[in-house]
Amino acid sequence: MSDLLLPPEHRYAEEIKKRQNEDGSELSILNLGPTHPATHGIFQNILLMDGERILDGEGTVGYIHRAFEKIAENRPFYQITPLTDRMNYCSAPINNMGWWMTLEKALNIEVPKRVQYLRVIIMELARIADHIICNSVLGVDTGALTGFLYVFQYREKIYEIYEEICGARLTTNMGRIGGFEREWSPAAFKKINDFLEEFPAIWTEFENLLSRNRIFMDRTIDVGPISAEKAISYGFTGPNLRAAGVDYDIRVMQPYSSYEDFEFDIPVGKSGDTYDRFCVRNAEVWESLSIIKQALAKMPEGPFHANVPDYYLPPKEDVYTNMEALIYHFKIVMGEVPVPVTEVYHPVEGGNGELGFYLITDGSRTPYRLHFRRPCFIYYQAFNDMVKGQMLSDAIATLSSLNVIAGELDA
Amino acid sequence: MDQAIIIEKSVIIISVFALTMLMAMYSTLAERKIAAWLQDRIGPNRAGKGGILQPLADGLKLFAKEEFTPNTQNKFLFVTGPAISMSMALMTSAVIPWGDKLHLFGRDIILQATDIDVAILYVFGVLSVGVYGIMIGGWASNNKFSLMSAMRAASQMISYEVAMGMSIIALVMMTQTLSLKEIAEQQSGMNWNVFYQPVGFLIFLVCSFAETNRTPFDLAECEAELIGGYHTEYSSMRMGFYLFAEYASMFISSTILAVLYFGAYNYPGMDWMEQNVGVNIANVIGMFALFAKLCFFIFFYMWVRWTIPRFRYDQLMRLGWKMLIPLSIANIIITAIVLLLHDKAI
């Protein structure tokens, strides 16, 4: 049997024996996970430790593998959205919108400008929610719980906005092919405006609490660094790549949903360590706020969905009174919509990196193959490389700042 | 020894014991309430009015839980760990002067369980035995996280005890005594030691945080890395003992801070009160003054805990050995020079 197929404990056993014979050092294996308070989900790290120092590590994935890609092959297109919710559940609307945009690309549907702007707003709100969680949990993992509770309240407000728009909070299942399920209510806009007004003060307070805190800086600077070259060769994207100093952002490189209409900066870091990742996320929250403001200011008038009766559910009154509407309704709900034979890849800038949907259709009611490019899966592979030679506490901070979310890691 | 002394001392011992337990219990509630206040929350408010019965409910719950013992090599040590922690935390309060004296039933009652002349050494000795509770418990748990935590606790305790002792040496040089009672008496009026030994006070304060395992030095039980640290494998009242011991030692170290540096039971105008209002009233106020001071320090512990992150293991060691110890040595030397010049002037 190949060495790689053995569980890491067996391979480390030899290493431990060798080191003991060489210089008498007593190495140990530490099982960090699958259920450990710092893993924020279920994944296992088997670490070879010399006291507090990590010599080698091996990550195990698959503890909550739910075979999303296989399930997707057996579901009509609109039923795949709930699967996307459950990947990066910290920023579910980005996943939803990414999936609808992928479908629209495959079906060649032009979406009204208003829908694009509304999508930008909801995606940026989701990005803020994601960064709130990632950065404040980094605080928790280094021992500062208070900042987490300050900003967590505002994630709650973002969830209230989701509720106003689609009725759900965490796993949103938001939108339809071609737009939203209903017009955004005035209450939703009011909540967004309130959020834009109140949140900057809290975020400033949070930044002040941690970003110049001596202990926090000591705990995060030069912890879990990754160079730009290495990050690119691993396939890093999103804030983690930008922290390493590469100004790569899908929103600018391949603009979707009218991102080209907005002015915003791409914050970049220098050394790609935990502190840079923290700062990049902090700065991105400010950019997201500015994008939302611009989108609200420039919001065009128009319908909240594209005029695509083949794919977009007709109004309920028409279904009860109108023959065509009833037929469309039936076909859409049963998933029998016309789909061309095609192959598309659509990336969006997810909460923690490039979230890509690679869709191959064969003209049937379900995808022939659907692959989710999940950024967490890529970050997690680099994790052991990044923490080698560092302390146990550094590993926790690094894992936290990479924003590895188990749901997205395993899909 | 006449009977009166025995009764008097028993009453004092029992009340000091009860006080320590009560303070430890209510520190848990205070911690949760203060944390809630600092974090814009409400905190526990279900048990009793404003959560006043919460500590009782917690204690009852811990007693009712299953006592789980992991499959370890030595079950005796597993039980000994929390016992040592608890008893050592409670033993320290014996030498603390809670007040000057009361005049009751025609006799002077000294408000102190025992006034031994090496009280400071006694406190240090007992406090450093306390870490054995954590070490033994962590080792006997047969769990790598617990063992790691025990190692951290031990090395932290050793490094910070040195700096703590050094900061006290400067104080002892100044006060010329090791008795807590005498140190308290010397600080009458506003002659508090903190004005003469500010650097020593700061070092002592930082080291107290380390000695009581509080944030930012709570490496032994940081939940993010080591799950529960040394008490990962403990359940029921055994874990309760560890938690309790932590709060009891926090109470004791706050008291010691108040006694050594903040004038113990002295308050401005105490002499005037004794002469004009009466010894008893003046000293009861003194007890409350000590109480107010130590409550402030308990609050300070909690305030710090909910404000700043925790250190990393190597940073903790660096702070202890490379900064606090040289600083405390410098403090000793400067104190010595000043004392020498002062003597010459006389």
Side-chain angles (χ1 to χ4, degrees):
Chain A
M1 194 159 49
S2 151
D3 229 24
L4 273 172
L5 291 174
L6 281 169
E9 296 95 301
H10 292 257
R11 280 186 287 131
Y12 289 153
E14 267 173 38
E15 170 90 19
I16 292 172
K17 210 179 270 172
K18 207 179 96 201
R19 283 290 299 274
Q20 177 135 36
N21 292 337
E22 268 172 24
D23 51 5
S25 55
E26 293 180 14
L27 309 185
S28 61
I29 297 170
L30 188 72
N31 215 342
L32 200 73
T35 49
H36 182 277
T39 53
H40 309 306
I42 316 172
F43 38 92
Q44 188 183 21
N45 287 292
I46 296 163
L47 304 171
L48 180 67
M49 312 273 298
D50 181 8
E52 290 257 342
R53 206 160 281 283
I54 297 165
L55 298 181
D56 199 8
E58 176 136 340
T60 316
V61 298
Y63 279 92
I64 56 165
H65 183 62
R66 291 151 295 176
F68 278 174
E69 289 177 3
K70 197 70 198 168
I71 294 173
E73 285 173 22
N74 296 303
R75 282 195 177 183
F77 291 90
Y78 79 97
Q79 287 185 4
I80 293 169
T81 329
L83 300 181
T84 64
D85 286 337
R86 284 152 182 80
M87 289 198 299
N88 186 349
Y89 41 79
C90 294
S91 51
I94 299 186
N95 309 355
N96 299 156
M97 298 302 143
W99 170 239
W100 296 129
M101 281 186 261
T102 313
L103 277 182
E104 283 151 14
K105 203 177 196 176
L107 303 172
N108 279 322
I109 296 171
E110 188 64 37
V111 176
K113 206 73 172 164
R114 182 176 165 84
V115 172
Q116 296 187 2
Y117 276 43
L118 291 176
R119 279 181 176 170
V120 164
I121 292 175
I122 200 70
M123 284 193 285
E124 291 308 318
L125 281 173
R127 193 182 319 286
I128 292 173
D130 193 275
H131 288 356
I132 284 178
I133 296 176
C134 179
N135 272 359
S136 60
V137 166
L138 177 62
V140 173
D141 283 343
T142 53
L145 185 70
T146 304
F148 166 76
L149 285 159
Y150 283 168
V151 292
F152 218 61
Q153 217 169 331
Y154 283 83
R155 190 191 77 143
E156 209 55 34
K157 304 231 157 148
I158 294 179
Y159 279 7
E160 276 172 26
I161 297 171
Y162 294 172
E163 255 182 324
E164 226 22 88
I165 292 166
C166 72
R169 291 162 53 83
L170 188 73
T171 47
T172 47
N173 191 13
M174 189 188 283
R176 297 261 192 277
I177 298 177
F180 286 90
E181 52 271 62
R182 64 182 80 83
E183 178 62 277
W184 286 19
S185 65
F189 284 108
K190 188 182 173 299
K191 281 188 173 164
I192 294 171
N193 281 323
D194 288 351
F195 177 80
L196 288 177
E197 228 163 78
E198 293 164 19
F199 184 64
I202 299 294
W203 195 247
T204 313
E205 191 180 2
F206 174 75
E207 279 187 328
N208 291 344
L209 205 59
L210 286 180
S211 61
R212 299 302 298 170
N213 183 316
R214 193 66 245 170
I215 300 176
F216 183 77
M217 287 166 80
D218 283 347
R219 282 294 306 275
T220 50
I221 290 175
D222 285 336
V223 166
I226 189 160
S227 66
E229 294 79 26
K230 220 172 185 181
I232 290 174
S233 58
Y234 265 113
F236 271 39
T237 44
N240 294 342
L241 179 66
R242 291 195 281 275
V246 183
D247 59 344
Y248 178 75
D249 190 322
I250 315 275
R251 290 174 292 176
V252 177
M253 294 295 167
Q254 308 172 39
Y256 52 90
S257 197
S258 295
Y259 264 112
E260 67 275 9
D261 294 3
F262 306 110
E263 283 281 324
F264 60 98
D265 293 331
I266 306 175
V268 287
K270 276 202 190 95
S271 56
D273 59 11
T274 300
Y275 186 70
D276 275 2
R277 285 192 281 272
F278 175 81
C279 291
V280 163
R281 286 204 170 86
N282 270 351
E284 274 185 19
V285 167
W286 293 112
E287 297 304 327
S288 294
L289 285 173
S290 129
I291 293 172
I292 296 172
K293 270 184 203 141
Q294 293 174 43
L296 282 176
K298 288 200 238 170
M299 180 66 69
E301 291 297 315
F304 60 93
H305 64 89
N307 186 18
V308 276
D310 275 342
Y311 306 102
Y312 190 87
L313 280 174
K316 207 70 179 171
E317 310 86 68
D318 289 359
V319 175
Y320 291 132
T321 55
N322 186 324
M323 181 77 172
E324 276 82 46
L326 181 63
I327 292 169
Y328 275 131
H329 183 273
F330 180 74
K331 285 183 79 174
I332 292 168
V333 170
M334 298 311 287
E336 300 295 340
V337 291
V339 178
V341 179
T342 179
E343 184 175 340
V344 290
Y345 176 73
H346 184 75
V348 291
E349 182 69 27
N352 50 0
E354 174 179 342
L355 178 71
F357 299 87
Y358 184 44
L359 172 69
I360 303 176
T361 56
D362 58 359
S364 70
R365 65 196 286 272
T366 60
Y368 174 74
R369 175 83 172 91
L370 176 62
H371 175 66
F372 303 114
R373 185 209 184 272
R374 310 176 311 274
C376 287
F377 187 63
I378 288 148
Y379 302 148
Y380 192 55
Q381 293 171 29
F383 171 67
N384 289 312
D385 213 9
M386 291 162 82
V387 299
K388 223 169 260 182
Q390 306 217 325
M391 314 280 281
L392 176 64
S393 322
D394 297 341
I396 307 291
T398 308
L399 190 60
S400 183
S401 73
L402 281 176
N403 200 7
V404 178
I405 290 166
E408 190 177 81
L409 178 71
D410 284 345
Chain B
M1 205 192 292
D2 64 318
Q3 238 171 349
I5 285 195
I6 295 175
I7 293 170
E8 177 197 316
K9 287 296 178 197
S10 327
V11 169
I12 289 176
I13 288 169
I14 289 169
S15 28
V16 166
F17 179 73
L19 179 78
T20 315
M21 297 295 259
L22 197 73
M23 283 302 288
M25 265 170 75
Y26 274 88
S27 296
T28 61
L29 177 65
E31 173 111 86
R32 293 175 65 182
K33 277 286 183 193
I34 289 170
W37 175 55
L38 292 173
Q39 295 169 347
D40 301 344
R41 295 186 284 123
I42 298 168
N45 65 347
R46 295 288 123 172
K49 201 169 166 58
I52 198 80
L53 297 177
Q54 188 69 39
L56 293 176
D58 287 344
L60 197 69
K61 185 200 77 175
L62 283 173
F63 271 117
K65 290 278 173 187
E66 183 196 348
E67 273 199 41
F68 175 78
T69 313
N71 191 13
T72 82
Q73 293 297 315
N74 198 330
K75 298 225 164 41
F76 174 70
L77 286 184
F78 185 74
V79 183
T80 316
I84 293 181
S85 274
M86 188 67 176
S87 47
M88 291 307 143
L90 291 176
M91 266 167 70
T92 334
S93 51
V95 293
I96 289 167
W98 298 100
D100 191 9
K101 55 179 183 284
L102 291 182
H103 196 75
L104 288 176
F105 315 116
R107 21 180 317 122
D108 278 343
I109 296 172
I110 310 281
L111 293 170
Q112 186 177 18
T114 171
D115 178 20
I116 51 176
D117 50 6
V118 288
I120 292 183
L121 293 183
Y122 170 82
V123 168
F124 270 77
V126 171
L127 272 182
S128 39
V129 175
V131 74
Y132 282 96
I134 295 176
M135 280 170 69
I136 290 172
W139 184 80
S141 291
N142 193 16
N143 176 323
K144 279 175 189 161
F145 290 106
S146 301
L147 183 65
M148 248 177 178
S149 150
M151 298 283 289
R152 285 180 176 191
S155 48
Q156 174 180 331
M157 205 64 82
I158 290 166
S159 4
Y160 279 80
E161 208 128 85
V162 180
M164 201 180 197
M166 296 259 196
S167 68
I168 287 293
I169 286 176
L171 183 79
V172 171
M173 280 160 64
M174 209 182 76
T175 55
Q176 305 277 326
T177 177
L178 283 170
S179 153
L180 287 174
K181 177 83 179 160
E182 276 177 45
I183 290 177
E185 274 166 4
Q186 283 176 9
Q187 303 181 62
S188 66
M190 282 299 277
N191 260 333
W192 295 357
N193 284 332
V194 65
F195 302 124
Y196 303 105
Q197 284 287 337
V199 179
F201 166 70
L202 286 178
I203 297 168
F204 191 86
L205 184 69
V206 172
C207 295
S208 314
F209 276 94
E211 293 282 302
T212 47
N213 272 327
R214 299 282 302 180
T215 315
F217 302 100
D218 63 340
L219 289 171
E221 50 186 307
C222 53
E223 67 290 336
E225 293 151 30
L226 300 180
I227 307 177
Y230 54 89
H231 56 66
T232 306
E233 295 285 347
Y234 282 88
S235 61
S236 176
M237 206 53 202
R238 286 184 197 149
M239 190 184 86
F241 263 36
Y242 270 132
L243 302 181
F244 220 72
E246 187 192 323
Y247 284 99
S249 61
M250 187 169 83
F251 164 63
I252 296 299
S253 76
S254 305
T255 317
I256 295 198
L257 272 165
V259 170
L260 287 181
Y261 288 99
F262 274 76
Y265 45 78
N266 291 297
Y267 55 95
M270 192 175 179
D271 293 335
W272 185 86
M273 288 286 282
E274 264 185 40
Q275 278 152 18
N276 295 308
V277 186
V279 178
N280 287 351
I281 293 175
N283 281 311
V284 168
I285 294 176
M287 280 164 71
F288 279 108
L290 176 61
F291 229 74
K293 288 169 193 169
L294 73 90
C295 283
F296 168 75
F297 281 112
I298 291 179
F299 170 71
F300 186 73
Y301 273 113
M302 292 169 183
W303 187 14
V304 168
R305 171 165 180 187
W306 298 110
T307 308
I308 53 180
R310 76 170 68 83
F311 284 107
R312 202 171 60 203
Y313 181 65
D314 56 329
Q315 291 162 352
L316 179 98
M317 290 295 137
R318 195 168 61 222
L319 180 72
W321 289 103
K322 290 193 177 167
M323 293 161 85
L324 290 182
I325 291 178
L327 196 64
S328 53
I329 292 174
N331 189 38
I332 292 176
I333 293 170
I334 291 169
T335 311
I337 293 171
V338 170
L339 283 175
L340 208 62
L341 293 177
H342 195 68
D343 275 353
K344 269 189 188 154
I346 293 167

